[in-house]
Amino acid sequence: MLVEVGVSGGFAGVDNRLVVREDGSWTLTSRSGEPRTGRMSAEGLAELRAALQDPAYARVPERPSGPAVADGFRYSVTHDGRLVVAGDGERPAALQRVFDALPGGGPPTAP
């Protein structure tokens, strides 16, 4: 596994999980439907790897420090044995770069 991204909360109460494997294949599961699968392009996979290996990403706090956003999402990102948890109000630029490089252009927030 290259990265696993979990998204929970929001107004609709989502509980989604996106797993991107080392080869760029991915699986998205949610409680509302069948798993979806796909494969990232070589360029997209390289962009995701670069975002995850950026020294700035290594400095992203592992836990949120501010108050939760009402009806906001909670994100968990696991890469190389490190878990980062963030909320809607706390998206450091390095974490946003990882989100932008995910399949679909962001964390899976749709129910």
Side-chain angles (χ1 to χ4, degrees):
M1 175 184 80
L2 176 62
V3 66
E4 178 180 349
V5 178
V7 180
S8 60
F11 184 74
V14 303
D15 186 12
N16 299 338
R17 180 174 167 252
L18 172 67
V19 174
V20 179
R21 291 169 205 77
E22 294 286 344
D23 67 356
S25 62
W26 57 265
T27 301
L28 173 61
T29 56
S30 70
R31 67 174 116 169
S32 65
E34 292 292 316
R36 290 183 280 164
T37 60
R39 181 170 300 274
M40 297 183 73
S41 68
E43 296 82 17
L45 183 58
E47 183 178 328
L48 179 58
R49 285 182 191 280
L52 291 165
Q53 294 168 356
D54 184 339
Y57 179 71
R59 293 188 300 274
V60 170
E62 293 182 357
R63 296 282 179 251
S65 59
V69 174
D71 291 325
F73 292 107
R74 179 178 172 106
Y75 308 95
S76 62
V77 181
T78 304
H79 167 68
D80 200 24
R82 180 174 182 248
L83 171 65
V84 171
V85 177
D88 272 338
E90 300 177 295
R91 286 195 186 184
L95 180 59
Q96 186 62 51
R97 181 178 174 205
V98 170
F99 286 169
D100 291 344
L102 292 171
T109 58

